[in-house]
Amino acid sequence: MTANLPPQYDPKATETKWQKYWEDNQTFKADPEKGGEPYCVVIPPPNVTGSLHMGHAFEETLIDVLVRYHRMTGRNTLWLPGTDHASIAVQTILEKQLKAEGKTRHDLGREKFLERAWEWKAESGNIITNQLRSLGVSVDWSRERFTMDEGLSAAVLEAFVRLYDEGLIYRGNYLVNWCPASQSAVSDLEVDQQEVDGHLWHFRYPLTDGSGYLEVATTRPETMLGDTAVAVNPQDDRYKHLIGKTVTLPIVNREIPIIADEFVDPTFGTGCVKVTPAHDPNDFEMGKRHNLPFINIMNKDGTLNENAGVFQGQDRFVARKNVVQRLENDGVLVKIEDYKHTVPYSERGKVPVEPLLSTQWFVKIDPLSQRALEALDKSNSPVFVPDRWTKVYRDWLVKLKDWCISRQLWWGHQIPAWYAVSETKGEITDTTPFIVAKTEAEAKEKATAKFGNDVQLARDPDVLDTWFSSGLWPFSTMGWPDETKDLDFYYPTTTLVTGFDIIFFWVARMTMMAGHFTGKMPFDTVYIHGLVLDENGQKMSKSKNNGIDPLLLIGKYGTDALRYTLVKEVVGAGQNIRMEYDRKTDESKSVEASRNFTNKLWNAARFVMMNLEGQTPQQLGSPSGGGGLELCDRWILSRYNQVVQESRNYLENYGLGEAAKGLYEFIWGDFCDWYIELVKSRLQQDAEPKSKKVAQQTFAFVLEGILKLLHPFMPHITEEIWHTLTQTGDGECLALQAYPEADISLIDPDLEQQFELLFGTIRNIRNLRADADIKPSVKVTAILQSESEKERQIISDGSVYIQDLAKVEHLTVTASLDADLGQTIAGVVGTVQVLIPLAGVVDLAALRAKLEKKLNKVEAEIKHTAARLTNQKFVDKATPDVVQGARDALAEAEKQAEILRDRLKVF
């Protein structure tokens, strides 16, 4: 059988073929029974509503490079895939569909709504995972999980009940971030702080005794309807005498006290602040300290309630205008200032959140965060790469407050609490007693024992925050709380690869949950990657509409080309990368360059295989380290082993971009551009047999090694070439081969340095030939002069390569030059002078005439372009792009003219 590759590389057919092969053959199926050293990664679960964006492509490629590398080093590897149920996102999609039908979820009822949600999941929920397949990710699809599948749902129930039984989950009336759009509580982490141009309204609260007034200022004047105090600093001499007195709240005419609190900054504004405990986090704490009433003025849809008096039923922003107008009419509005300030927006609802007093479920964070902090401070666990994120993670753990985990949604894990509504007239109230249990039957049994046989139960309608289930992901996906083989062998996981933007959302949740439930941190290392920025260096976002579709680039250039571009652009772990992209043509020069690299590799592999006479690397055997190796064989083997050593070192230390660039330079430069050219003459029919055999052995050995080194980055093309090169049938694949190990004895830095001089000499002779317009078919005489005996020896040892690759017939290596060499063209490489005599090789008169003709043409272009640019009418009327184009053309022409004049001096 003769190994043979098609003339053209077809990425689409090749990539589809191997993606199907790997999945059909369960190539990446993990087996804890095989033992060995585990390497485990859980995928950061993308939202089930999502479709592949460039951030996904970047993250999954980075993970896949690591996983494929460690699998090839012999580690027992599991990369576990799955998706997140994304409560708010899915519910938003479904409610939009229902709205288009003129319905609400309440028209359907919870059961029918959830049936519809699961139908949507079955039809549309696999889009993202199918798109991940197109990246060639080496995951174990047999272990694919979904945060609401049966096993993970059982883990969520277990976690909730355990935390509740341990006193770490409680139900309480607390100020939460409320999103009026989704009508649900959202966590601090789901709030986007946006700087806006707003206003600061100043108004007067008259002292009840008629002796004057206090001036306060606020950015939310409608909340004054719920004020229950005015606060001043106890050390503020301006107001000390007023502490304990009262003011009359305008509009409402409620008498409220003047209190003293250290929280008040006497230097800000007037030094007086209105206190609305039910609608501001700081006021909430002040209200608790001073036992103030908590008056809620807002409904959950963002309209004002009965406590707002005449403003009841008005939207909060409409009420804001009307309250201000009323204050002005009553003569208590002092002034309105323009004021730039930060407003919290709901990331999902895209509207300002409202601090709202609400009964919710909370997790006591302190015991959980303390365990995570202890692991970090005592054991540096987990390790963050880059290390600068360690402090960010630690600071966040220190600042965390109790976690509101209830969401007023239907899609998600319903809270396992049942209320004894028969105790509160059939309704769930803030005081209704409840039972926490894993099942309704268990809740019924407990409730009957406590309240009697006639007890009536109603389950809490809320669901858990999505991050609650995601926080369990590293161990719930392994079968926890059951003691499974996967959990025993693969947990804790090895590496978490994720973006810095969810250290707070997700990474901290996982470390706290894992520390509590398993006693271990869920991963050894957290590799924080940067962002993929657009062509202008801007963060990609839906609002800017500046995203770049990875699937479009895959369709145009191939998966391997996109993967390689994303990794090669990374300089230093955690750095952002910029994606070159032309929005008019949907083309990317950087991805096109990687596509060209795949073509270069393909063509080089074809050439190698055409010269192996049907033999595989195994049949040829490894090139010997003895006398059979020629100078260029020893050089390429030194370079190869150097690259093996560097690649391993980079990949072990998360230098993925550096490894990719090193391989690119070695494969394109050393192997394709130099070694292939250096050995061509030894592969001819009439070549000396022993030399030819060694060249074939070296060719095959290095090519197979290249395929293994490059496989984690470009899995599809390397798999295709490897199968053809090795003529391996079904059952084996490159993905499961051993990653190369460096043979240190073959690394020869001195030899590599010698070849740098030889290559520099060859380049110089080639450039001189081009300058003198010497035809490629014409062989020349070259004189190489150096006073260094070492340099002369290097050139003499490699003279056959210089003559072969630079088309030199007669080569002279000398310490000094003869006085008269006739007309020559000269160059310099380091301290070596390179001369080519031109007599009999070039028609100097014809060459001079040709150069003068070119110069005259370029000078005419310069004159014409310069005249256009000095014409004010042209500069004023033409577009800036046209004017700049003319300036660029003038600069290029002047550069060409300078080069031509220098060449004419020689000839």
Side-chain angles (χ1 to χ4, degrees):
M1 176 181 173
T2 301
N4 191 22
L5 289 172
Q8 299 294 324
Y9 174 53
D10 181 353
K12 186 174 183 179
T14 301
E15 289 164 1
T16 303
K17 166 187 172 181
W18 288 110
Q19 286 160 16
K20 185 175 188 302
Y21 176 92
W22 292 324
E23 191 164 348
D24 288 350
N25 288 275
Q26 294 191 315
T27 302
F28 308 121
K29 185 173 175 61
D31 183 359
E33 298 287 357
K34 288 184 177 179
E37 185 182 1
Y39 185 86
C40 179
V41 176
V42 289
I43 196 170
N47 283 353
V48 72
T49 58
S51 59
L52 193 73
H53 58 62
M54 197 58 77
H56 290 132
F58 183 43
E59 184 167 87
E60 311 318 332
T61 298
L62 293 173
I63 299 173
D64 199 46
V65 170
L66 290 170
V67 170
R68 285 181 182 271
Y69 165 72
H70 284 287
R71 183 183 292 115
M72 293 179 77
T73 63
R75 297 181 73 171
N76 186 330
T77 305
L78 167 61
W79 183 8
L80 192 147
T83 48
D84 183 87
H85 63 274
S87 289
I88 298 173
V90 172
Q91 185 136 339
T92 300
I93 289 171
L94 296 173
E95 289 188 335
K96 281 181 180 177
Q97 291 177 358
L98 290 170
K99 188 176 181 181
E101 299 168 15
K103 299 176 184 176
T104 70
R105 59 174 161 140
H106 299 286
D107 294 328
L108 266 67
R110 188 174 195 127
E111 188 176 335
K112 291 292 183 185
F113 179 83
L114 291 177
E115 284 179 13
R116 184 159 177 159
W118 281 105
E119 286 170 7
W120 176 89
K121 161 70 169 66
E123 292 170 9
S124 306
N126 295 324
I127 290 174
I128 185 73
T129 51
N130 288 331
Q131 290 171 337
L132 285 173
R133 283 174 163 87
S134 70
L135 283 173
V137 291
S138 59
V139 303
D140 181 352
W141 288 110
S142 72
R143 282 173 165 82
E144 183 179 357
R145 306 306 300 265
F146 175 56
T147 46
M148 281 180 61
D149 69 24
E150 188 176 341
L152 270 66
S153 294
V156 168
L157 281 175
E158 178 73 23
F160 186 97
V161 173
R162 276 202 209 176
L163 288 171
Y164 177 79
D165 289 345
E166 293 165 4
L168 295 177
I169 282 182
Y170 64 93
R171 185 172 181 256
N173 202 260
Y174 202 80
L175 204 66
V176 297
N177 299 307
W178 186 264
C179 172
S182 60
Q183 294 198 33
S184 174
V186 293
S187 75
D188 291 342
L189 305 178
E190 295 166 298
V191 170
D192 180 23
Q193 300 291 342
Q194 297 183 18
E195 192 171 62
V196 300
D197 292 319
H199 297 94
L200 194 61
W201 286 270
H202 293 249
F203 40 90
R204 295 169 179 158
Y205 285 2
L207 291 162
T208 308
D209 62 10
S211 61
Y213 60 84
L214 290 180
E215 183 180 320
V216 298
T218 181
T219 58
R220 298 159 65 218
E222 70 282 4
T223 62
M224 59 85 60
L225 301 169
D227 283 0
T228 56
V230 172
V232 298
N233 190 288
Q235 306 306 318
D236 194 333
D237 291 334
R238 294 172 296 174
Y239 305 116
K240 276 184 178 179
H241 65 290
L242 297 177
I243 296 169
K245 291 192 173 186
T246 61
V247 294
T248 302
L249 189 63
I251 303 177
V252 183
N253 293 320
R254 182 166 58 243
E255 191 174 344
I256 59 176
I258 300 169
I259 63 172
D261 197 286
E262 294 283 355
F263 171 78
V264 180
D265 180 0
T267 66
F268 181 77
T270 63
C272 301
V273 297
K274 55 188 285 302
V275 184
T276 320
H279 292 282
D280 181 272
N282 296 318
D283 294 3
F284 178 80
E285 297 299 332
M286 226 184 303
K288 287 198 296 184
R289 284 196 293 273
H290 297 273
N291 295 314
L292 298 174
F294 286 68
I295 300 175
N296 174 30
I297 63 162
M298 197 164 296
N299 296 312
K300 292 182 176 180
D301 62 358
T303 60
L304 271 58
N305 63 22
E306 67 279 3
N307 292 327
V310 295
F311 304 102
Q312 182 178 356
Q314 295 180 9
D315 177 79
R316 54 184 169 155
F317 299 117
V318 173
R320 176 174 297 177
K321 293 177 183 177
N322 292 336
V323 166
V324 170
Q325 185 62 56
R326 173 69 180 273
L327 291 170
E328 185 175 15
N329 294 343
D330 290 352
V332 295
L333 180 66
V334 179
K335 62 180 176 179
I336 304 173
E337 291 181 293
D338 291 335
Y339 186 64
K340 189 184 286 287
H341 63 122
T342 300
V343 173
Y345 274 71
S346 165
E347 284 196 336
R348 289 291 183 189
K350 309 301 180 189
V351 298
V353 297
E354 222 28 82
L356 190 71
L357 203 58
S358 176
T359 301
Q360 303 285 345
W361 291 89
F362 294 86
V363 172
K364 288 183 181 177
I365 281 295
D366 193 58
L368 306 183
S369 61
Q370 286 304 315
R371 186 187 285 268
L373 279 167
E374 185 179 344
L376 186 68
D377 293 342
K378 289 187 177 179
S379 309
N380 192 29
S381 178
V383 173
F384 278 80
V385 179
D387 180 62
R388 65 179 181 272
W389 291 109
T390 306
K391 184 178 184 304
V392 176
Y393 165 72
R394 190 186 192 287
D395 288 348
W396 192 259
L397 285 174
V398 169
K399 294 173 186 174
L400 279 174
K401 298 177 182 176
D402 284 2
W403 173 17
C404 175
I405 55 171
S406 45
R407 299 291 180 268
Q408 286 63 55
L409 304 165
W410 286 354
W411 172 249
H413 293 105
Q414 192 171 356
I415 289 173
W418 282 262
Y419 295 88
V421 291
S422 49
E423 301 296 305
T424 50
K425 300 179 180 178
E427 292 185 358
I428 299 175
T429 70
D430 289 353
T431 58
T432 306
F434 58 85
I435 300 293
V436 168
K438 292 180 185 177
T439 65
E440 186 172 7
E442 183 185 338
K444 181 75 173 176
E445 184 180 338
K446 288 182 178 179
T448 301
K450 191 170 185 180
F451 302 107
N453 292 328
D454 295 333
V455 67
Q456 292 178 342
L457 296 180
R459 187 168 183 178
D460 195 307
D462 292 351
V463 299
L464 287 165
D465 175 15
T466 302
W467 296 105
F468 189 92
S469 54
S470 297
L472 309 174
W473 185 252
F475 50 97
S476 64
T477 52
M478 305 280 182
W480 183 91
D482 295 336
E483 295 180 5
T484 65
K485 289 180 180 178
D486 277 2
L487 192 65
D488 179 59
F489 185 75
Y490 292 113
Y491 183 83
T493 67
T494 315
T495 306
L496 175 73
V497 179
T498 190
F500 62 82
D501 49 341
I502 58 170
I503 290 177
F504 327 116
F505 279 101
W506 190 44
V507 178
R509 302 283 191 236
M510 289 188 286
T511 58
M512 290 189 295
M513 291 290 215
H516 184 76
F517 288 116
T518 72
K520 303 171 185 175
M521 288 298 98
F523 20 73
D524 299 331
T525 303
V526 182
Y527 172 49
I528 301 292
H529 61 73
L531 302 174
V532 184
L533 306 177
D534 73 3
E535 66 277 16
N536 299 312
Q538 300 294 312
K539 181 179 178 180
M540 295 186 202
S541 69
K542 288 180 181 178
S543 59
K544 292 180 183 175
N545 195 30
N546 65 336
I548 301 172
D549 185 357
L551 297 172
L552 188 151
L553 293 177
I554 286 173
K556 192 179 287 283
Y557 302 109
T559 297
D560 283 346
L562 176 64
R563 285 173 57 119
Y564 203 68
T565 302
L566 291 170
V567 180
K568 191 163 74 75
E569 293 295 319
V570 179
V571 181
Q575 297 303 304
N576 294 339
I577 67 169
R578 187 174 71 86
M579 175 65 72
E580 286 187 82
Y581 190 61
D582 185 332
R583 292 187 183 274
K584 293 178 182 176
T585 60
D586 288 326
E587 294 174 340
S588 170
K589 287 184 179 179
S590 53
V591 186
E592 183 181 0
S594 294
R595 193 272 314 275
N596 295 342
F597 180 47
T598 64
N599 290 337
K600 184 85 170 178
L601 176 64
W602 185 265
N603 292 331
R606 283 191 77 239
F607 178 82
V608 170
M609 283 185 256
M610 285 190 299
N611 285 282
L612 296 184
E613 299 174 329
Q615 300 172 92
T616 67
Q618 290 71 26
Q619 291 166 340
L620 285 163
S622 296
S624 66
L629 291 173
E630 298 187 15
L631 201 63
C632 68
D633 303 327
R634 287 171 44 217
W635 167 75
I636 195 67
L637 289 171
S638 176
R639 288 292 307 121
Y640 167 74
N641 283 285
Q642 187 83 263
V643 167
V644 170
Q645 192 176 44
E646 289 170 356
S647 296
R648 276 183 167 267
N649 185 54
Y650 280 133
L651 290 171
E652 290 289 344
N653 294 285
Y654 299 95
L656 279 64
E658 291 82 352
K661 278 188 282 291
L663 287 172
Y664 182 93
E665 290 162 5
F666 171 72
I667 295 166
W668 190 298
D670 295 336
F671 187 70
C672 296
D673 284 353
W674 287 114
Y675 186 69
I676 286 178
E677 296 302 316
L678 289 168
V679 299
K680 273 183 178 177
S681 60
R682 293 164 60 192
L683 299 169
Q684 305 299 320
Q685 288 280 357
D686 56 352
E688 196 276 318
K690 185 178 179 183
S691 176
K692 182 176 183 177
K693 177 71 178 290
V694 171
Q696 289 174 327
Q697 288 177 324
T698 308
F699 243 164
F701 175 80
V702 175
L703 176 59
E704 185 175 13
I706 282 171
L707 298 174
K708 292 175 180 178
L709 290 171
L710 193 59
H711 179 75
F713 304 91
M714 288 184 161
H716 306 90
I717 187 172
T718 51
E719 189 79 74
E720 179 72 16
I721 295 173
W722 183 81
H723 270 262
T724 310
L725 174 68
T726 60
Q727 299 177 40
T728 302
D730 288 344
E732 282 194 65
C733 59
L734 176 58
L736 300 180
Q737 300 304 303
Y739 201 78
E741 294 189 43
D743 184 342
I744 308 299
S745 68
L746 294 178
I747 297 177
D748 188 340
D750 287 340
L751 181 63
E752 292 182 28
Q753 195 171 6
Q754 291 172 32
F755 267 81
E756 284 304 307
L757 178 60
L758 293 176
F759 295 150
T761 304
I762 292 166
R763 288 190 200 98
N764 199 276
I765 295 173
R766 286 172 171 175
N767 291 338
L768 293 175
R769 289 177 62 106
D771 287 346
D773 218 12
I774 299 171
K775 294 178 182 177
S777 59
V778 174
K779 290 198 171 185
V780 299
T781 294
I783 301 161
L784 305 176
Q785 180 268 327
S786 174
E787 295 179 1
S788 165
E789 184 179 347
K790 182 178 180 181
E791 286 186 338
R792 293 197 303 274
Q793 186 61 50
I794 291 169
I795 293 167
S796 296
D797 290 345
S799 59
V800 63
Y801 305 130
I802 297 172
Q803 289 182 265
D804 194 13
L805 271 59
K807 300 289 179 67
V808 174
E809 187 169 11
H810 300 291
L811 179 66
T812 301
V813 183
T814 180
S816 59
L817 295 172
D818 292 337
D820 185 16
L821 294 172
Q823 182 74 48
T824 63
I825 184 169
V828 176
V829 181
T831 60
V832 177
Q833 190 172 1
V834 182
L835 300 98
I836 299 177
L838 298 176
V841 177
V842 176
D843 184 337
L844 294 175
L847 177 58
R848 184 172 185 82
K850 185 176 179 181
L851 292 173
E852 287 173 342
K853 185 178 179 181
K854 281 185 180 179
L855 180 59
N856 290 336
K857 184 179 179 182
V858 172
E859 286 177 337
E861 287 178 17
I862 291 171
K863 186 177 180 182
H864 173 70
T865 308
R868 289 180 77 199
L869 288 169
T870 55
N871 183 340
Q872 198 59 41
K873 288 184 180 178
F874 165 74
V875 176
D876 292 341
K877 289 184 179 180
T879 64
D881 288 347
V882 171
V883 175
Q884 187 58 47
R887 288 181 181 140
D888 293 343
L890 178 61
E892 180 62 30
E894 288 174 337
K895 186 178 178 182
Q896 287 181 19
E898 185 181 349
I899 293 169
L900 288 167
R901 290 188 193 103
D902 288 342
R903 291 180 69 185
L904 278 165
K905 289 176 186 176
V906 176
F907 303 114

